[in-house]
Amino acid sequence: MCKVIYHPKYSLYNLGEGHPFSPLRSEMVIDLLEELGVMKAPEVPEPATPEELRQIHSKDYIDAVEKASAGETVPNIDKYGLDTQDNPVVKDMALGARYICGGTKLGAQLLLEGKARRVLQFGGGLHHAHYDSAAGFCLYNDLALGIREMTNRGWNVAYLDLDVHHGDGVQEIFYTDEHVMTISLHETGEFLFPGTGWIHELGKGMGKSLKLNLPLQPFTEGESYMSVIEKAVVPALSWFRPDALVVQAGADPHYSDPLADLMLTTQDFEVLYRRVLELAEKYTKGNILITFGGGYSVTATTRIWALIYHIIFGLDLPEKLPEAWRQKWSKHVKGEMPEFLHDPPNPYMEIPRKPEIESQNKEVVRRLLDAVSTDWW
Ligand SMILES: [Zn+2]
């Protein structure tokens, strides 16, 4: 049983004209799926309350966000990561973020109550939001709230962060928690925001060896990426055997993303998400909650999220994108709206130092497994 979650008020989480984390991306995906005649009626969440958010954020921080969002002055606002280029203060942003948090929480509840086994949240993935500060376009951590909803009911949860940036906020919030395994594949922090996500960040106390990081080389392509999934993610899930898998499905590992340097194509995303669903069937009782996330090439991101929707629902992938949809949204994208769902074959130039990149990624997997081996087996 598959369900989708969305509320039009997610659009209140709009950090301004020209800001890359645009709510238009979700609206475009929904419009595309409607145009293709496959969009199901979404489940509609209530906004999370500030009290509920206390499970994952400090009271000071929540008060600061709510006040700033209402136009009130917040003393020392910079200590909360607010009023920056990445996280500007925008009216009603807090309410928008709380609707998004309510959506991911609802996704968790649908799994907990057995009303769905696969859930796709048409927004969220605010993985950089920390316990007491905003960062990287993220205000409130919807993923952490959804995961907390499940651990509150006695579930163990694996969180798989496939965004190109390290899932630092989620890792931090559950750093000592033995009921949550976090796994993040990302471009190495040597070159990319937020500069964390190293192998030695393994968790602490009861959470030790449950926080896994796979910092990948720039220009990593699909084959090497999938090898990391097979060699590191599969044994992790096989060992931890969680009750549910939560996936942050950022589309920014795509080769055309303007903010990062991994080289996945839409064909790679298809292979990846078919495999992720297989892994959920095998190791997490089929329970899987997928959120959106980063993704700043709008033409790639909308195609990737539409592709994931089709895979979740077991639908055949359309070859072409509807002409009406391409026309309607063409003014919102840089360049031309593609004609096909998939990228053209061999869309980028040959990658220099490909064997070296592959062997460095293999070494990352080896070092990570070595670091956890005494705790796991
Ligand atoms: Zn990202």
Side-chain angles (χ1 to χ4, degrees), residues 127 163-165 252 294 296:
H127 61 163
D163 193 282
V164 79
H165 300 93
D252 44 11
Y296 307 104

Side-chain angles (χ1 to χ4, degrees), residues 185 214 216 224-233 361 365:
L185 276 74
L214 294 144
L216 305 176
S224 178
Y225 194 94
M226 285 310 298
S227 158
V228 172
I229 294 275
E230 296 303 330
K231 298 281 170 31
V233 177
N361 289 339
V365 171

